[in-house]
Amino acid sequence: MPRDLPVLVRQNPSADYTRLPRQAGPADAGPLKGPAPLDLVVSLRRHGDELDISAFRPGERTPGTRMHRTRLAVPAPVLLAKAARLRSVWRDRLIGYDPDPFNPYPFATAVDFTPHAAVAERKVAELAEEGRYFLQTMLDGADRSLVRFREYLTATLTEHGSLRISFDSDLHLPWPMLAVDTDRPDPWADFLGHRHQIEQTGASYPPIQPPNSARAKPVTSLNTDDQLTGIGRAPEVRKLLEDRSQLTVRTDSDLLLEALSAAVLDEDVMYFWCHGQFVSNDSPYEQLAVRLSDDRHIDADLVRRHRRRHLDRSDAVFRPFVLLNACHTGQSAAAELDHLGRALVDLGADGVLGPQLQIPQEFAAEYAFAFLDHYLTGEFTAGEITQQLVRWFAREYRNPLALAYSLHCGIDSILELKP
């Protein structure tokens, strides 16, 4: 006798092609559920030293039914060097600004730049010009296809309102710190991270995991160095996590590695408040590693070694949103560099957010508090929050450092809570 078999769909990779964009339905039905569609996808692919770039707006017909694409004139090593230079300019010209021996490094020791607003505005204008120079250099060239691509991309980035943009890139570039030329007197609005919601992708497909179930109280962890617990708003961040989530605190690498070794590590948020550094491992290729209170360096290979045994298990769970608030960890999500952030995404993390340069600890703690305060409400996506914080720190404190935080995947990451 025929009967229906129970079917559980764990993943639906064709959803973006079969589901209509989110829109208002009948008056009594409410809006369709699900993340809003992306407004722009930019793909940057490396072939040796050559770079191919393409861009399209989902749902928009392009000339000849093809997406806009071309080959860049600038080689990959040159572009990576210019990205490193841009990060160094932010570090040296802004954070390293030291005009007065009696008030050293004002932009490294305070979150609020308004007491030095005139200088801060000049610095922001300079950094915006550097961001415009980078984008113009990346797209420079006289080839006809490159000229047409440059016209399309720059027009899309400048003439439309706030967009949701995914940069699917083989190179880790400081996308939020790049800028467009709008001929407006306010340089803040020229930064891509101020104008748009931005993520970078480029990692492999995440593992298939059991369905996620909403919880009344989120599960979080604080992975930290004891020496940093009293800096800035760090105590308030911990209290925020204690009050609004089920919190686990780890200060020893053995405890973190033990948790990573378990098949089920079902945390909604993993927050790292620790030191990050590049280690050579006696080779020409440096690896990013973080360190808790002990002296063990936790790098991508160590994390993979402890979790890789669970990748083929259908009952394994690891899908946290990760805030890597440690020095240099924004580069950890790079597809170009096999670092910690990318390893976490490859293993199932829903998204990784971290700074692209050595952020002052006072600001890092302030940023973490603001981000988690928004994220733990379950009302906003990570993409929405990162853009909101760029604008908020600019408006309230004249501080551009929120632009240095890079979101790898996770533009749609949101905390699912029971009503």
Side-chain angles (χ1 to χ4, degrees), residues 57-208:
R57 300 194 68 188
E60 178 183 85
R61 290 179 63 85
T62 57
T65 69
R66 296 173 297 175
M67 70 175 61
H68 300 268
R69 60 160 57 94
T70 189
R71 175 155 289 181
L72 296 181
V74 60
V78 172
L79 196 59
L80 287 171
K82 291 186 178 298
R85 176 188 175 276
L86 181 60
R87 296 184 184 101
S88 297
V89 167
W90 276 68
R91 180 196 64 203
D92 298 338
R93 299 293 296 161
L94 181 67
I95 300 172
Y97 174 67
D98 185 21
D100 184 355
F102 299 101
N103 183 25
Y105 304 105
F107 299 144
T109 55
V111 173
D112 188 357
F113 289 3
T114 54
H116 310 278
V119 176
E121 293 297 330
R122 292 198 298 269
K123 295 293 182 182
V124 168
E126 178 184 356
L127 296 175
E129 185 58 35
E130 290 285 354
R132 284 190 288 269
Y133 171 75
F134 183 98
L135 188 60
Q136 291 165 359
T137 302
M138 182 174 71
L139 301 176
D140 191 30
D143 180 81
R144 182 170 177 267
S145 66
L146 182 50
V147 170
R148 294 185 66 183
F149 181 88
R150 180 171 64 242
E151 292 173 348
Y152 168 77
L153 184 59
T154 54
T156 302
L157 293 173
T158 57
E159 295 175 6
H160 297 272
S162 180
L163 303 177
R164 289 162 38 81
I165 304 175
S166 181
F167 289 97
D168 190 49
S169 177
D170 288 342
L171 304 186
H172 184 61
L173 302 179
W175 300 105
M177 297 155 63
L178 306 189
V180 291
D181 190 357
T182 61
D183 294 325
R184 296 175 59 180
D186 181 12
W188 293 90
D190 290 352
F191 288 104
L192 296 190
H194 190 285
R195 298 180 66 84
H196 309 295
Q197 293 181 41
I198 292 177
E199 71 172 357
Q200 170 166 320
T201 61
S204 60
Y205 289 105
I208 296 175

Side-chain angles (χ1 to χ4, degrees), residues 341-353:
R342 185 186 178 192
L344 292 168
V345 171
D346 287 348
L347 293 168
D350 199 40
V352 175
L353 176 63

Side-chain angles (χ1 to χ4, degrees), residues 42-370:
V42 180
S43 178
L44 184 63
R45 291 287 168 261
R46 181 174 186 173
H47 308 281
D49 285 346
E50 295 184 325
L51 293 169
D52 290 337
I53 191 169
S54 61
F56 71 98
R57 300 194 68 188
E60 178 183 85
R61 290 179 63 85
T62 57
T65 69
R66 296 173 297 175
M67 70 175 61
H68 300 268
R69 60 160 57 94
T70 189
R71 175 155 289 181
L72 296 181
V74 60
V78 172
L79 196 59
L80 287 171
K82 291 186 178 298
R85 176 188 175 276
L86 181 60
R87 296 184 184 101
S88 297
V89 167
W90 276 68
R91 180 196 64 203
D92 298 338
R93 299 293 296 161
L94 181 67
I95 300 172
Y97 174 67
D98 185 21
D100 184 355
F102 299 101
N103 183 25
Y105 304 105
F107 299 144
T109 55
V111 173
D112 188 357
F113 289 3
T114 54
H116 310 278
V119 176
E121 293 297 330
R122 292 198 298 269
K123 295 293 182 182
V124 168
E126 178 184 356
L127 296 175
E129 185 58 35
E130 290 285 354
R132 284 190 288 269
Y133 171 75
F134 183 98
L135 188 60
Q136 291 165 359
T137 302
M138 182 174 71
L139 301 176
D140 191 30
D143 180 81
R144 182 170 177 267
S145 66
L146 182 50
V147 170
R148 294 185 66 183
F149 181 88
R150 180 171 64 242
E151 292 173 348
Y152 168 77
L153 184 59
T154 54
T156 302
L157 293 173
T158 57
E159 295 175 6
H160 297 272
S162 180
L163 303 177
R164 289 162 38 81
I165 304 175
S166 181
F167 289 97
D168 190 49
S169 177
D170 288 342
L171 304 186
H172 184 61
L173 302 179
W175 300 105
M177 297 155 63
L178 306 189
V180 291
D181 190 357
T182 61
D183 294 325
R184 296 175 59 180
D186 181 12
W188 293 90
D190 290 352
F191 288 104
L192 296 190
H194 190 285
R195 298 180 66 84
H196 309 295
Q197 293 181 41
I198 292 177
E199 71 172 357
Q200 170 166 320
T201 61
S204 60
Y205 289 105
I208 296 175
Q209 302 190 60
N212 190 15
S213 57
R215 290 188 262 238
K217 198 168 190 180
V219 176
T220 66
S221 65
L222 170 60
N223 306 278
T224 188
D225 181 348
D226 283 330
Q227 296 181 357
L228 303 178
T229 56
I231 293 176
R233 299 193 74 176
E236 296 175 61
V237 175
R238 175 165 179 167
K239 187 175 188 306
L240 177 74
L241 292 171
E242 289 174 339
D243 291 345
R244 294 168 56 181
S245 70
Q246 180 182 328
L247 176 65
T248 298
V249 178
R250 306 184 187 101
T251 60
D252 188 274
S253 61
D254 286 338
L255 296 176
L256 176 59
L257 295 175
E258 180 182 353
L260 290 169
S261 298
V264 176
L265 179 53
D266 194 9
E267 296 180 352
D268 298 296
V269 176
M270 291 187 75
Y271 175 45
F272 286 82
W273 175 236
C274 55
H275 293 290
Q277 66 185 90
F278 286 99
V279 293
S280 65
N281 294 324
D282 295 325
S283 79
Y285 306 102
E286 292 185 325
Q287 290 283 299
L288 182 92
V290 296
R291 181 173 53 79
L292 305 186
S293 295
D294 55 282
D295 59 358
R296 178 180 291 174
H297 290 135
I298 302 170
D299 60 11
D301 285 322
L302 187 59
V303 172
R304 284 197 173 100
R305 178 165 68 83
H306 282 266
R307 279 218 68 81
R308 64 179 301 180
R309 72 195 76 174
H310 305 307
L311 285 177
D312 296 328
R313 291 184 53 172
S314 60
D315 60 340
V317 175
F318 179 77
R319 51 189 168 214
F321 183 86
V322 181
L323 177 52
L324 273 175
N325 214 6
C327 299
H328 302 296
T329 47
Q331 297 183 48
S332 68
E336 174 72 10
L337 303 172
D338 190 21
H339 287 158
L340 181 57
R342 185 186 178 192
L344 292 168
V345 171
D346 287 348
L347 293 168
D350 199 40
V352 175
L353 176 63
Q356 301 214 34
L357 45 93
Q358 191 170 353
I359 293 290
Q361 293 174 338
E362 294 280 348
F363 181 84
E366 188 81 27
Y367 185 93
F369 183 88

Side-chain angles (χ1 to χ4, degrees), residues 17-54:
Y17 299 92
T18 59
R19 186 173 58 222
L20 292 173
R22 184 169 64 178
Q23 58 187 345
D28 59 346
L32 296 178
K33 293 183 178 180
L38 292 168
D39 297 305
L40 179 67
V41 177
V42 180
S43 178
L44 184 63
R45 291 287 168 261
R46 181 174 186 173
H47 308 281
D49 285 346
E50 295 184 325
L51 293 169
D52 290 337
I53 191 169
S54 61

